[in-house]
Amino acid sequence: MATNSNIYSLQLVYVSHENFASLLDEYKGRILGVLVYSASEPELPQDGFPCTWVALPVIGDDACYQVWISARPVKVMGAAPLCLSSDGNILFGSMVLPEAGAGGIESMACSAYSTIFDAIDKEGYPSLLRVWNYFSRINDADGGLERYREFNVGRHEAFCDKGRAIGEEGVPAACALGTPQGDLVVCFLAGKAPGIAIENPRQTNAYRYPSDFGPKSPTFSRGVLVGDLLLISGTASIIGSETAHPENVARQLDETLENLRLVIGQARECGFSVNDPGRLYLNVYLRHAEDYPGVRNRLDAEFGDAAHVAYLQANICRDDLLLEIEAFWMHCR
Ligand code: 3EB
């Protein structure tokens, strides 16, 4: 039997627009899915695999194509609005819901997650491992609750409706960011068995945040370890459940890096052994593009040239957070 670390033979590649077409040729039939970050809507390939536009400006480039590739042949399933693909070990999905109908972001979140849970159960990949959530006006309150908090209510409801445990092993690694325009985008990785949920000893588990941060807590873990692949959630300057250093981007970056170190430390205690920065992929979400030079200098010093880093301008889900960093640490490439 293959060891767990061989089960997920995934590769992640970050490419700019010019190099995307040749990458598609090179990995034909083995691409699980693509997240395309770009301020303006790109022309997307019609090859069938999930390939989803996320309307975030890329700082320093037109676009960043984040391509998840398998070592094995990929089968494409599903159809819009829920596109699915699988290599027989892991499932990649993307769901796009336009913001038109009644009900707002709360019912859209509930509907998206309910549809996803039904689909992954049916396909035999019931364990949600990693989710990317993007939607517009995340910090706006349409006369009531902030939209991020409404989103949390809807997401939580779907977990409950579908009988999903909210606790260790029940919640995926995730990120949730605000776009300047566009639809609700939910991309995800799902597995046949749960990964190992990683939490951060100096942060409250997000699913236990107190109600000051919304009537229902966000349902995510700080990271998920699957085999020797570490999926680190959006990580920010939060200690306990409180934002540390509102208004100070340099100090938020310090706390964020400390939180990343702690999450990686926990993963190592659970057996994670990758050490090569060349296999580390980071998405750095900045609320203000003008913070880029300072953050870039600091991260260059922290990770060196080897790590793959995309800088994306986004609204962070708490209005006092100025940045958030998510990471994927791959065991093979
Ligand atoms: C935090 O730690 C910052 O709602 O899915 C990070 C990762 C954050 C995921 C989510 C939110 C989410 O609370 C925000």
Side-chain angles (χ1 to χ4, degrees), residues 2 14 26-27 42 51 59 63 80 84 133 172 176-177 203 206-207 214 239 247 254 265 302 308 313 319 321 331:
Y14 284 11
E26 187 179 350
Y27 294 103
C51 184
I59 301 171
L84 303 172
N133 302 289
L177 284 307
Q203 292 189 304
Y207 52 85
I239 302 176
E247 315 297 322
D254 288 340
E302 185 79 18
H308 309 263
Q313 188 183 354
D319 62 7
L321 286 173
H331 62 83

Side-chain angles (χ1 to χ4, degrees), residues 133 148 152 155 174-176 203 209 218 220 222 233-236 238 317-318 321 324:
N133 302 289
Y148 174 60
N152 283 333
R155 175 169 56 174
C175 64
Q203 292 189 304
Y209 279 165
F220 71 94
R222 301 298 171 183
S233 292
T235 302
I238 294 175
C317 64
R318 285 188 190 183
L321 286 173
E324 180 173 310

Side-chain angles (χ1 to χ4, degrees), residues 256-276:
T256 301
L257 289 172
E258 176 63 10
N259 282 332
L260 286 169
R261 274 191 285 274
L262 288 166
V263 168
I264 292 166
Q266 291 297 114
R268 294 210 186 283
E269 284 187 16
C270 294
F272 178 68
S273 62
V274 177
N275 228 332
D276 176 0

